Amino acid sequence: MNFFRKIFGSGEASSDEENESEYAGTSAQNSHLSLDEQFIFNFKKNGGKFLYCENTLEVAEQFENILEENDWFEKEALCYESALFHLLEENKLFYIAPSNPKFLLASCENLIADEGSILFSSKQIRQNKPNDLPANIVILATTSQILPMKSDGLSAIKRKYERDYPTNITTIKYFEKAKEEDFTQYGSVAKNLYLLLLEDL
């Protein structure tokens, strides 16, 4: 997936201006983009913040950059996945029964290319609805989790969990406040979302 390096450089997020120039005029031909490019285009169009990571060391570095940018060091975080606790512990974040978490740290089930959304289940967010989650979310995902459509994501969940099938399967699609006249986002919950995308293909 060399195009990640070409577009974003190693471990760097592109600015909105770079994103607009890179994809100027591509919305009409969005279907002709590769699956990965389609996801990134739609995800950033929805207001998501994207950080490409080539390895786990870069994931840790970019996570620290997010904490620094938002002044979240030594604050409370919400996290239900023991595999991610080390990122919180290394940065002195409190995650056991937080009363006022600044952000959610989670993985996801899949990344949905055609709508630029993140697919979750109870494995990541328990029984919380999007409204119940913190306004800020940091997601760790891999390039192999990018799938064309939501139906592909649901099929992948069925294959992955033959037993102990998860509940509360939901997507989060909007990552910035909607303009008042944008009726398409009516009733949706906007989240300030960072995606740490780890190259694994």
Side-chain angles (χ1 to χ4, degrees):
M1 292 209 188
N2 298 350
F3 81 92
F4 281 121
R5 183 184 286 278
K6 284 190 288 184
I7 295 172
F8 300 105
S10 177
E12 294 178 4
S14 66
S15 69
D16 290 340
E17 290 177 2
E18 289 168 340
N19 183 53
E20 287 169 11
S21 64
E22 185 69 37
Y23 291 110
T26 58
S27 57
Q29 309 122 330
N30 202 5
S31 60
H32 301 297
L33 297 173
S34 73
L35 191 64
D36 307 38
E37 291 171 310
Q38 188 180 1
F39 169 75
I40 292 166
F41 176 83
N42 289 326
F43 176 76
K44 291 185 73 90
K45 186 176 72 173
N46 293 343
K49 299 177 181 75
F50 170 84
L51 297 131
Y52 169 65
C53 305
E54 290 187 333
N55 52 53
T56 54
L57 181 62
E58 286 187 4
V59 169
E61 289 173 359
Q62 294 292 3
F63 182 63
E64 284 184 29
N65 290 340
I66 293 169
L67 297 178
E68 186 173 357
E69 176 184 326
N70 294 282
D71 193 23
W72 287 341
F73 285 108
E74 300 186 18
K75 299 289 197 310
E76 291 185 326
L78 184 63
C79 183
Y80 298 115
E81 299 167 79
S82 58
L84 301 178
F85 289 168
H86 69 98
L87 284 170
L88 300 171
E89 290 164 356
E90 289 165 9
N91 292 287
K92 299 180 180 176
L93 291 154
F94 308 100
Y95 60 89
I96 298 171
S99 59
N100 185 26
K102 292 293 182 185
F103 66 96
L104 166 73
L105 175 64
S107 64
C108 64
E109 293 296 342
N110 291 107
L111 307 171
I112 308 303
D114 72 337
E115 58 181 33
S117 65
I118 314 286
L119 182 64
F120 296 99
S121 78
S122 56
K123 301 293 184 180
Q124 296 87 37
I125 61 173
R126 299 276 173 91
Q127 297 307 317
N128 291 303
K129 299 300 178 200
N131 277 333
D132 304 325
L133 298 171
N136 304 298
I137 299 177
V138 180
I139 298 300
L140 176 58
T142 59
T143 50
S144 63
Q145 290 179 282
I146 300 174
L147 295 176
M149 296 180 293
K150 197 182 294 182
S151 58
D152 299 304
L154 297 174
S155 297
I157 289 173
K158 285 183 181 175
R159 286 192 302 273
K160 182 178 178 182
Y161 303 103
E162 292 180 12
R163 298 188 178 96
D164 191 26
Y165 194 75
T167 57
N168 195 25
I169 297 168
T170 187
T171 57
I172 295 181
K173 180 177 178 181
Y174 299 109
F175 314 117
E176 61 185 10
K177 294 288 184 193
K179 296 184 178 74
E180 285 183 23
E181 66 272 14
D182 188 354
F183 67 91
T184 62
Q185 296 189 31
Y186 181 76
S188 65
V189 181
K191 299 292 183 182
N192 177 33
L193 192 139
Y194 294 86
L195 173 62
L196 297 170
L197 187 63
L198 175 62
E199 173 69 72
D200 71 339
L201 290 175

